[in-house]
Amino acid sequence: MDIMDEKKMVTLSVEDGPWTGCAVLFLRSCPAVNLLSLYKDQQGKFSVFKVLKLTLTDSAGGLEGYEILKLHDADPLLGVEVKFVDVAACRRFLQSYGSGAVQQSLSQHACRLLHGTQELALETQLKAGTHTLDFCLDDLELCLQHIHQSQPGRLRDDEIAELDQQLQSQALGHIPQPPTLSQEEPPVPSNCFLFQKRVFEDRILAAGDLQRFSNGVGRDWRKVGRALGKNCRALKGPAIDNLAYEYEREGLYEQAYQLLNRFIQAEGRAARLGRLVRALEDSKLTSLAENILDIQPRE
């Protein structure tokens, strides 16, 4: 069998039928910010997991197509074992990793979520079984084949499942305001916002918000972008049209995703749920705001 025939078999094996595979991303950060030590610390564990989850969401193109199975203590390295269940998501991750976007996203999210982190110096290595994928990133099909051959030998770790559930709860959590007999509107706390006469926690936008927005906004993403751009320099001028042109081939989901992701990256801790909800209200998209806030439709 010659090389071309072998490559055809590799491509067919990763494109046809159900597809799963496993890879481990090893991370080593500078002594000032040790991701492994932070993860071992009970208070830092959730923040590190959130950084990793957001990074994978960025690089895989959404919340679907992968799951974190376990975080390994490979002192001085932190190993992130990832199961892929969608070849397209896996390919996007490999492309992001090869371009350096994964490292950049890790650094950005760490600086935003890990207290006291100004800059994160990272060394990374990506492995699938005995294969080090860093040596063959110029051949994506071969990398996909190695990942596909490295089938996960475990279920998701209980600790990871709990952290994932905690992250989802944080993304969907809200504070309902009980009815009052008084005609006066109760004061809204500084860390909350009012929507449809209910008080919600004004938290930082999370991965779940990003997915719900991207799935639901459709062609109105530009309208929301202009509403957000009133108070966000990164979305002013030609920025929205540039996003539309750059991600035209990927479709509306990716255009909306990149819009809100740019807002989050530019605004940091100021990229809060209340600002997105107000922009949706301004754009007459209250049903999408209700979906993001997990407000159940009335009977």
Side-chain angles (χ1 to χ4, degrees):
M1 181 183 296
D2 61 24
I3 294 176
M4 291 301 295
D5 288 338
E6 186 176 349
K7 287 229 175 192
K8 286 179 182 178
M9 288 186 66
V10 168
T11 303
L12 286 172
S13 68
V14 298
E15 297 289 358
D16 292 350
W19 193 93
T20 60
C22 192
V24 182
L25 175 64
F26 290 99
L27 306 172
R28 181 173 184 172
S29 52
C30 67
V33 183
N34 190 309
L35 289 177
L36 177 60
S37 296
L38 278 173
Y39 184 74
K40 289 179 179 179
D41 180 73
Q42 199 58 38
Q43 292 184 339
K45 188 181 295 290
F46 177 71
S47 295
V48 172
F49 176 79
K50 188 172 182 179
V51 167
L52 297 172
K53 184 80 173 183
L54 290 173
T55 298
L56 283 166
T57 300
D58 292 343
S59 57
L63 290 171
E64 304 298 328
Y66 76 91
E67 66 174 345
I68 299 175
L69 294 181
K70 185 176 177 62
L71 296 187
H72 296 275
D73 179 357
D75 197 9
L77 307 176
L78 175 64
V80 187
E81 186 174 353
V82 183
K83 174 185 177 182
F84 291 97
V85 295
D86 179 74
V87 67
C90 188
R91 182 179 281 110
R92 284 192 293 268
F93 170 78
L94 286 170
Q95 290 170 335
S96 297
Y97 183 80
S99 69
V102 169
Q103 292 89 330
Q104 182 181 7
S105 184
L106 269 168
S107 181
Q108 289 174 344
H109 289 306
C111 292
R112 184 166 58 88
L113 296 172
L114 303 180
H115 297 299
T117 304
Q118 300 298 321
E119 187 175 353
L120 186 67
L122 274 174
E123 295 177 13
T124 62
Q125 186 181 69
L126 186 63
K127 300 193 73 173
T130 60
H131 299 282
T132 301
L133 302 184
D134 301 74
F135 300 144
C136 56
L137 288 171
D138 56 340
D139 191 340
L140 287 184
E141 299 305 325
L142 182 58
C143 290
L144 286 168
Q145 179 71 358
H146 289 326
I147 291 174
H148 183 46
Q149 290 175 343
S150 177
Q151 290 297 311
R154 71 176 81 244
L155 297 175
R156 186 164 61 159
D157 190 75
D158 289 342
E159 182 177 65
I160 298 299
E162 291 174 5
L163 289 169
D164 207 12
Q165 183 60 47
Q166 185 180 345
L167 183 58
Q168 291 181 38
S169 297
Q170 185 187 81
L172 301 176
H174 62 267
I175 308 171
Q177 179 69 22
T180 176
L181 297 177
S182 171
Q183 295 300 314
E184 294 183 4
E185 289 290 338
V188 179
S190 59
N191 63 337
C192 298
F193 66 95
L194 200 63
F195 176 73
Q196 294 182 347
K197 298 183 179 180
R198 294 171 61 179
V199 178
F200 293 84
E201 178 190 6
D202 196 11
R203 53 175 173 73
I204 297 173
L205 288 169
D209 307 316
L210 190 58
Q211 185 188 36
R212 289 190 177 198
F213 172 80
S214 304
N215 277 325
V217 72
R219 296 183 181 278
D220 290 320
W221 69 270
R222 291 194 203 205
K223 191 187 301 183
V224 180
R226 286 191 287 270
L228 288 171
K230 293 176 182 177
N231 298 300
C232 177
R233 185 174 297 178
L235 298 180
K236 291 185 182 296
I240 294 174
D241 289 335
N242 289 343
L243 281 172
Y245 176 79
E246 187 176 356
Y247 296 97
E248 182 180 9
R249 289 188 178 182
E250 284 79 2
L252 294 173
Y253 176 94
E254 189 64 20
Q255 290 171 328
Y257 180 93
Q258 293 298 334
L259 168 79
L260 193 56
N261 191 47
R262 179 166 296 187
F263 173 74
I264 291 170
Q265 290 182 352
E267 296 297 299
R269 298 185 65 84
R272 307 191 80 84
L273 182 60
R275 292 178 68 180
L276 176 59
V277 169
R278 283 192 291 273
L280 290 171
E281 284 188 285
D282 291 345
S283 305
K284 303 188 186 307
L285 297 171
T286 52
S287 60
L288 179 55
E290 291 172 347
N291 179 266
I292 291 173
L293 293 171
D294 202 32
I295 298 175
Q296 299 301 317
R298 297 175 182 174
E299 294 291 328

